[in-house]
Amino acid sequence: MRDMSAGDGTSPGAPPAAVQVLEVLRLLSCHAEPMPAAAVARDLGLPRSTTYKLLAALCDQGFVVHLPEVRRYTLGLSAFETGSAYARQAPLARIGRPVLARLVDRIGHSAHLAVLHGRDVLYVVEERAPGRPALVSDVDVRLPAHLTASGLSMLACLPAAQVRALYPDRTAFVRRHQKGPTGLVSLRAMLTQVRSRGFGYETGTVTPGFESIGVVARDPVGHPVAAVAVTWAEGTLGMSTDKLVRRIRAAADEITRRLGGMSPSV
């Protein structure tokens, strides 16, 4: 039960009704099945009369739909349209691009932001440093996650069962340049190393002669929502690996904060 008068992450002085509306929408979005009004009132600690008024207003605006046959409520078309608009604005890219631009200015090497999509990483931002060679990790390019620093950093944050589901047999292990793990045992060993040092690393797996380091950014529930990675030609780093990792981690943590997420523990 939530105390609506107590601090709950909303802005100080926010109108109580506005807070309650948002709480109702958030609660319904967290449930796969429609909810009865009594359950909404119970979970939010609201009077039933207030709950019915809120639900009625949300139904009038199309954000909630009432299912009279089962006397339950679920999200409506307006809520879907709002969520779709959010996705269309590519918020992760908007948030990540200026952070990566500052990172590239500081280190002088190219950086990118990638998300996990099945067994692949999908690159959503690419910031190329002046005078540095072009990379394969351009926007909208997909690469096998287990071959990339960004992919390894995200895979290392997933439960073992999920990794096993993504890689059920040896056919799932695509290789490039005759490099990369060939089975679940070798992948698990690599992910153990990633968790131990706190970042993903690859050398020559994606492109011969290049190295990459990747660090995760997390969403509000702590899941790896993306990874920030830097790639450089071997022998051109110009700083210690520790210093580079600190700067990449600072960028990843800034994206995490902007997303309202939980900072990595390492």
Side-chain angles (χ1 to χ4, degrees):
M1 180 182 298
R2 298 180 65 91
D3 180 1
M4 300 304 296
S5 64
D8 58 359
T10 58
S11 300
V19 174
Q20 292 166 354
V21 164
L22 294 173
E23 291 289 342
V24 170
L25 291 174
R26 185 178 295 116
L27 179 64
L28 292 175
S29 71
C30 291
H31 286 260
E33 298 294 328
M35 296 183 67
V40 174
R42 180 198 65 221
D43 289 357
L44 297 181
L46 296 173
R48 288 199 180 190
S49 59
T50 300
T51 301
Y52 279 109
K53 288 177 182 178
L54 291 171
L55 290 170
L58 288 167
C59 286
D60 288 343
Q61 297 300 318
F63 283 90
V64 171
V65 172
H66 181 225
L67 306 175
E69 297 84 358
V70 292
R71 298 181 180 179
R72 292 171 183 262
Y73 295 82
T74 190
L75 291 179
L77 182 59
S78 293
F80 173 78
E81 290 172 343
T82 300
S84 298
Y86 181 79
R88 287 195 300 270
Q89 291 172 5
L92 184 58
R94 290 174 182 266
I95 289 171
R97 188 169 288 109
V99 176
L100 262 65
R102 287 193 294 272
L103 174 63
V104 169
D105 286 344
R106 295 187 68 188
I107 64 176
H109 293 284
S110 299
H112 54 258
L113 185 69
V115 297
L116 196 60
H117 193 275
R119 289 195 295 267
D120 293 337
V121 291
L122 172 66
Y123 295 97
V124 297
V125 176
E126 174 79 13
E127 285 291 331
R128 189 176 303 168
R132 300 298 180 181
L135 303 172
V136 299
S137 52
D138 205 350
V139 174
D140 292 333
V141 168
R142 294 173 185 266
L143 287 174
H146 59 280
L147 300 181
T148 68
S150 52
L152 289 169
S153 68
M154 290 184 282
L155 289 172
C157 298
L158 300 180
Q162 188 169 348
V163 174
R164 185 170 60 250
L166 288 172
Y167 296 91
D169 53 49
R170 289 185 177 273
T171 63
F173 290 89
V174 178
R175 305 189 80 202
R176 285 171 65 92
H177 315 296
Q178 301 303 308
K179 286 191 170 186
T182 58
L184 192 56
V185 172
S186 55
L187 177 60
R188 282 173 171 165
M190 294 176 67
L191 299 183
T192 297
Q193 291 181 339
V194 173
R195 286 188 288 270
S196 175
R197 64 190 173 216
F199 60 87
Y201 172 74
E202 66 87 11
T203 175
T205 306
V206 175
T207 303
F210 284 82
E211 301 175 73
S212 296
I213 285 176
V215 178
V216 294
R218 299 178 186 252
D219 67 12
V221 294
H223 293 154
V225 69
V228 176
V230 169
T231 299
W232 67 95
E234 292 177 358
T236 67
L237 184 55
M239 68 183 75
S240 70
T241 300
D242 287 345
K243 184 175 182 178
L244 177 63
V245 170
R246 286 196 300 271
R247 291 185 172 177
I248 299 173
R249 179 167 292 125
D253 286 351
E254 183 176 352
I255 292 173
T256 294
R257 287 192 296 272
R258 291 187 176 203
L259 292 171
M262 302 168 58
S263 294
S265 58
V266 293

